Amino acid sequence: MDHNILKTLEKGDFILGEKVFELEQKLAEYVGVKECITCASGTDALQIPLMANNIGPGDVVFTTNFSFFATAEVISLVGAKPIFVDVDNDTFNIDYQLLEQKIISILKEKKYIPKAIIAVDLFGQLANYDKIEEIAKKFNLILIEDAAQSFGASYKGKKSCSFGDVAATSFYPAKPLGCYGDGGAIFTNNSKLAQKMRSIRVHGEGKDKYDNIRVGLNSRLDTIQSVVLIEKMKIFDEEIKLRNKVADYYNENLDQFVKIPKIAYKNISSWAQYSILVNQKDRDKLIKHLQKFDIPIAVFYKKPFNTLDLYFENRDLDFSISLMLSQSILSLPMHPYLVKRDLDKIIKAIKDFYE
Ligand SMILES: *Cc1c(COP(=O)(O)O)cnc(C)c1O
């Protein structure tokens, strides 16, 4: 990899160089879709499809109430209104029954135009696309898969980033496939949409850079990041296997103490996070206890979207599952190279806490 980074430095094609297009081809092949458009971040990878579908003021986009802020942020950024939906108790992904109910109630209200759904594959597990794709079709909505956390995951062998009309992933270093900075990619089988998104990524270019035919962004991927990603893709499947082994080991040893994560039938998670549920009254004490042993702990997410001041009009709606999760969830260390010794230390610390 160092050699190829040096070659990029010598060649000087720092942005959208040859290696970027090589990476796009490799990513599209890996996922099993026709088109891959890399861009500057996972956030942009979500925003660009919204722009390409002309989603804006007066439109609503349905999404989960429990995710990283970028999921909701891009909807607000293009001027549309996010409609939040509570999540499933087991997978923490959008509850498809509540989704359908919300769509129907927005249609009845006739105040806004339902345009799209952004489903998130939280912590690396795919959302329930059997149902969500059916709902999107039924109500003629564009379905966007927020696969920022799930690259490498699959359902019945079908890979993350191949669901819905268009999918977005992130190469932020902490994601399953991380680069050495910011980066993202968009996937679709719709070539016309892909062409538009390629234009948006470079200031809405037309025939060339100075023929600007629409308002776009500056959202290109650095060539050096592509070199890193091409190299990391070679070991990526192995890393997903290792992450699954780490999760299995946690599961076997923690099941009797805490609520372990549930993976739905025929799903393989990419385990961006390994998140457990504990008693709400114990959580802060357990976090302090684990920090004493230098075990890094994170809480994803402390504030479901409806509790943010930004979205105050949702404050009093019923989001009981996401609220419960925000108060009892906690994520343990998770990466492919966690060795048994590290895992045993974490498991022992949790056992000691409960015994
Ligand atoms: C990380 C993340 C994003 C944004 O990706 P960036 O590359 O950080 O911009 C979007 N959605 C979810 C669910 C994420 O976890």
Side-chain angles (χ1 to χ4, degrees), residues 68-314:
F68 179 60
F69 181 55
T71 310
E73 185 182 31
V74 289
I75 301 169
S76 301
L77 196 55
V78 298
K81 184 180 169 62
I83 299 288
F84 302 122
V85 179
D86 207 3
V87 295
D88 177 81
N89 199 22
D90 289 331
T91 63
F92 315 152
N93 282 327
I94 194 165
D95 180 322
Y96 70 89
Q97 283 170 318
L98 295 178
L99 170 65
E100 181 156 9
Q101 286 171 22
K102 286 258 169 144
I103 296 169
I104 291 168
S105 76
I106 291 289
L107 281 169
K108 268 204 193 120
E109 234 180 88
K110 292 195 163 91
K111 232 165 92 189
Y112 298 97
I113 305 167
K115 278 281 177 72
I117 301 166
I118 301 181
V120 178
D121 307 332
L122 203 71
F123 303 146
Q125 172 164 218
L126 296 173
N128 185 343
Y129 291 107
D130 280 348
K131 299 289 185 191
I132 300 167
E133 284 180 340
E134 202 180 290
I135 292 168
K137 205 171 269 167
K138 180 169 164 189
F139 294 98
N140 200 19
L141 299 174
I142 296 153
L143 176 56
I144 301 171
E145 177 191 2
D146 179 346
Q149 301 183 6
S150 66
F151 198 78
S154 61
Y155 170 59
K156 290 184 182 166
K158 194 173 183 300
K159 286 254 164 53
S160 159
C161 292
S162 70
F163 295 89
D165 299 288
V166 50
T169 198
S170 163
F171 304 124
Y172 179 79
K175 311 285 175 166
L177 181 62
C179 62
Y180 292 174
D182 273 311
I186 309 163
F187 297 84
T188 184
N189 281 314
N190 181 338
S191 297
K192 216 171 135 193
L193 183 69
Q195 192 184 9
K196 202 165 169 189
M197 296 193 294
R198 282 199 181 92
S199 156
I200 291 171
R201 144 175 98 171
V202 192
H203 302 289
E205 69 178 4
K207 282 193 297 292
D208 62 60
K209 283 220 265 217
Y210 303 107
D211 175 33
N212 307 90
I213 56 175
R214 56 174 66 82
V215 172
L217 301 169
N218 170 8
S219 186
R220 301 162 298 205
L221 186 66
D222 287 346
T223 311
I224 288 177
Q225 301 305 343
S226 300
V227 171
V228 171
L229 288 165
I230 288 170
E231 214 52 44
K232 288 186 82 175
M233 277 183 82
K234 293 178 187 163
I235 53 164
F236 184 62
D237 278 340
E238 185 56 32
E239 290 192 332
I240 293 292
K241 277 190 201 140
L242 291 171
R243 282 177 187 268
N244 274 278
K245 273 196 181 155
V246 170
D248 289 345
Y249 196 73
Y250 272 139
N251 285 343
E252 278 162 35
N253 290 285
L254 294 178
D255 196 18
Q256 66 219 93
F257 303 102
V258 299
K259 191 167 176 249
I260 58 170
K262 279 195 193 138
I263 301 301
Y265 184 61
K266 296 211 168 165
N267 272 273
I268 296 175
S269 176
S270 62
W271 293 107
Q273 299 295 338
Y274 182 90
S275 305
I276 57 172
L277 299 183
V278 302
N279 235 322
Q280 193 182 324
K281 65 178 191 359
D282 294 337
R283 187 174 69 180
D284 288 347
K285 276 181 263 171
L286 177 59
I287 291 173
K288 280 214 183 82
H289 174 78
L290 294 174
Q291 281 167 345
K292 263 195 299 198
F293 294 96
D294 292 323
I295 298 166
I297 295 297
V299 174
F300 304 116
Y301 295 94
K302 276 198 184 110
K303 290 198 155 189
F305 295 149
N306 77 298
T307 67
L308 298 173
D309 287 345
L310 260 174
Y311 300 124
F312 66 91
E313 69 273 20
N314 295 280

Side-chain angles (χ1 to χ4, degrees), residues 302-337:
K302 276 198 184 110
K303 290 198 155 189
F305 295 149
N306 77 298
T307 67
L308 298 173
D309 287 345
L310 260 174
Y311 300 124
F312 66 91
E313 69 273 20
N314 295 280
R315 191 174 296 153
D316 300 325
L317 302 182
D318 177 22
F319 294 103
S320 48
I321 306 291
S322 28
L323 195 67
M324 177 278 289
L325 291 176
S326 69
Q327 292 165 345
S328 54
I329 204 158
L330 101 99
S331 297
L332 301 180
M334 166 54 84
H335 63 77
Y337 306 105

